[in-house]
Amino acid sequence: MAPDWSFRKNMTPTPYNPFHTAQAQVDAATERLGLERSMRELLRWPMFETQFRLPVRMDNGTMEVFQGYRVRYNAARGPTKGGLRWHPDETLDTVRALACWMTWKCAVLDLPLGGGKGGVTCTPAALSEGEKERLARAYIRAVGHQLSVDRDVPAPDVNTTPQIMAWMMDEFETLVGRHHAGVITGKPLPLGGSRGRSNATSVGGLYVARAVENLLGHKLTGARCAIQGFGNVGGGLAELLHEAGAKVIAVSAVDGAIYNENGLDIPAALKHYARNRQEIGGFEGGDAISNEQLLTCDCDWLFPAALENVIHEQNAADIKAPVVIEMANGPTSTAADRILHERGILVVPDILANAGGVTVSYFEQVQNTYNYYWSLEQVHAELARRMHDAFDAVHAEHQRVPGPMRLAAYMLSVERVAEACRLRGWV
Ligand code: GLU
């Protein structure tokens, strides 16, 4: 066996490392494509990465020092693009994994962008609004010199909001002394945000579900859907599925899940969640179940819409949904992927299913650059076209190449990135 030199590259020795999953996914595609050794090596590591300490004044007068990251995984196809996640478990490797996935996501959608990601290790629920603002501004003071519309463009992700994007843009523009709205996306509308950005990931997910319905014959109207996660993506999707006539039978938040086999009253559940500081417990329109029970409940469609590694070796054999649409980044481990595929479960991979967010972020950058703004109808028409084209391309590849749909999506996107690297003379 080859020696494991990964410690030389600061890999985190955690029991589950999402970057290992990301690298395994890249390896499967580069091997299948028969890419040359140097190209394989180039594509399985980030090209640029930064870590920094962020001293922030707390409301009680003390200083707290946070750890921040920004990884630019691959910039061959364009400026790197990807969100900022604030989470207690954030490490360099979680950010690397997410930046890696952004690279293939942008390429599957054929956006002229590379992949990047950033993060801060912190507990957002424990921070006041003022502390969040000071953390956001400290982040830009640390890494702002590396950002620009033609280099690297952050956006929201788990626990970061349009307001946080607004503070970051303001800090950046104050530092450089001019307007530069396209330096960050997911901004509020009055500061150059795009119409349709706030629920774009969920809207894109619905388009993907409709494409699965039309091309692969899984009915959506009246179907029983379970959604793991009730935040921006999961909550938005629950609303859209409910409106589209699907029966959302289970949703979950960090504190647990609720289940109602006749379908949940989603507008009421969303109100309860907003009123109870992002908790679903105590909602009276359903029975309390655990997150684990939600994942393995009897349903027609499962939408994991929270964090990585929720479908793993221990529960993959118990998943009952014939279709899994990955709205989160990296919800399925490599071992689980194999099990689901062997069981004939269709998994629409994250890099396709949740690409609606970055696609509208791209539209936001375009609008910022020519300083002219689109209607919501125009955003949705462009988003639908991009998502359908990407779905059709992945579907065609999936029919050509035996294996999971993820492999097909990776082969398509890895080949696109590899071609750009080759043309640049990088290998
Ligand atoms: N955080 C989102 C994602 O994982 C959106 C990224 C963006 O808009 O740049 O795709």
Side-chain angles (χ1 to χ4, degrees):
M1 208 172 116
D4 178 10
W5 297 116
S6 54
F7 66 91
R8 288 198 173 166
K9 297 189 178 175
N10 288 330
M11 302 268 295
T12 317
T14 51
Y16 176 73
N17 185 330
F19 190 45
H20 289 157
T21 304
Q23 286 188 317
Q25 291 163 344
V26 177
D27 291 346
T30 54
E31 213 175 292
R32 193 61 173 264
L33 290 164
L35 297 185
E36 56 273 52
R37 189 199 51 80
S38 54
M39 182 73 84
R40 292 184 194 193
E41 188 54 23
L42 180 69
L43 298 183
R44 69 195 308 280
W45 288 101
M47 296 194 71
F48 316 92
E49 47 190 33
T50 328
Q51 298 192 59
F52 34 90
R53 304 291 285 162
L54 300 167
V56 174
R57 175 87 54 204
M58 296 288 104
D59 289 349
N60 66 7
T62 62
M63 291 300 285
E64 207 58 67
V65 185
F66 297 91
Q67 180 75 11
Y69 312 90
R70 186 73 193 165
V71 172
R72 301 178 61 219
Y73 195 87
N74 186 294
R77 284 173 53 89
T80 44
K81 185 81 193 81
L84 298 171
R85 191 164 77 162
W86 287 8
H87 197 272
D89 299 331
E90 208 67 293
T91 65
L92 180 58
D93 277 343
T94 58
V95 181
R96 283 169 162 171
L98 290 154
C100 178
W101 290 325
M102 285 309 302
T103 305
W104 320 122
K105 195 185 299 187
C106 292
V108 168
L109 268 286
D110 208 8
L111 306 177
L113 299 170
K117 204 80 176 196
V120 176
T121 315
C122 66
T123 305
L127 299 177
S128 70
E129 282 300 284
E131 289 164 348
K132 284 183 189 169
E133 175 174 355
R134 292 191 288 280
L135 178 57
R137 291 185 184 279
Y139 188 91
I140 292 301
R141 286 197 301 278
V143 81
H145 61 283
Q146 297 181 19
L147 306 178
S148 121
V149 70
D150 54 10
R151 184 187 292 160
D152 183 26
V153 182
D157 199 271
V158 172
N159 291 325
T160 55
T161 58
Q163 176 61 72
I164 292 175
M165 301 304 113
W167 288 323
M168 288 185 167
M169 185 198 77
D170 180 68
E171 189 69 21
F172 183 89
E173 291 189 343
T174 305
L175 287 171
V176 299
R178 62 191 156 84
H179 282 283
H180 190 129
V183 73
I184 199 157
T185 60
K187 301 178 293 292
L189 286 185
L191 296 184
S194 174
R195 290 187 178 82
R197 175 63 186 86
S198 61
N199 69 347
T201 310
S202 314
V203 172
L206 181 68
Y207 292 159
V208 163
R210 284 277 183 229
V212 170
E213 179 178 41
N214 294 335
L215 279 168
L216 305 171
H218 292 270
K219 217 165 111 49
L220 193 60
T221 312
R224 294 162 309 156
C225 300
I227 306 177
Q228 192 239 354
F230 209 41
N232 181 253
V233 175
L237 185 68
E239 200 171 16
L240 292 168
L241 287 170
H242 184 76
E243 285 165 11
K247 215 194 294 177
V248 181
I249 59 166
V251 298
S252 73
V254 276
D255 63 316
I258 45 161
Y259 175 86
N260 184 335
E261 63 177 14
N262 298 316
L264 294 159
D265 179 349
I266 293 300
L270 284 167
K271 266 194 214 119
H272 175 95
Y273 177 82
R275 243 187 275 120
N276 291 276
R277 295 179 57 89
Q278 275 88 51
E279 290 190 359
I280 198 73
F283 179 66
E284 286 177 353
D287 301 325
I289 57 170
S290 67
N291 244 296
E292 198 56 34
Q293 284 172 311
L294 176 141
L295 291 165
T296 56
C297 78
D298 193 4
C299 61
D300 305 309
W301 298 71
L302 176 63
F303 298 87
L307 295 171
E308 312 89 70
N309 192 34
V310 295
I311 304 178
H312 42 67
E313 204 165 359
Q314 278 74 43
N315 64 7
D318 302 322
I319 302 288
K320 296 191 188 61
V323 187
V324 176
I325 310 272
E326 294 187 334
M327 298 307 296
N329 291 311
T332 312
S333 76
T334 309
D337 231 0
R338 203 173 37 244
I339 298 168
L340 296 181
H341 178 63
E342 281 165 9
R343 294 185 55 221
I345 294 175
L346 172 70
V347 179
V348 181
D350 48 5
I351 58 170
L352 171 63
N354 73 28
V358 72
T359 303
V360 178
S361 273
Y362 166 61
F363 300 159
E364 184 172 329
Q365 273 186 280
V366 169
Q367 295 169 76
N368 292 152
T369 303
Y370 70 7
N371 204 13
Y372 183 82
Y373 289 84
W374 303 356
S375 67
L376 183 61
E377 292 69 37
Q378 200 174 347
V379 169
H380 282 166
E382 286 287 320
L383 176 62
R385 186 177 64 78
R386 293 258 177 190
M387 296 295 299
H388 287 135
D389 285 356
F391 191 91
D392 289 348
V394 171
H395 179 55
E397 187 74 352
H398 186 39
Q399 288 189 313
R400 198 180 65 78
V401 181
M405 189 184 263
R406 189 187 315 282
L407 178 67
Y410 267 75
M411 286 176 64
L412 191 76
S413 57
V414 166
E415 181 50 44
R416 286 177 179 167
V417 175
E419 187 188 7
C421 293
R422 229 177 268 124
L423 287 167
R424 285 175 182 273
W426 285 358
V427 284

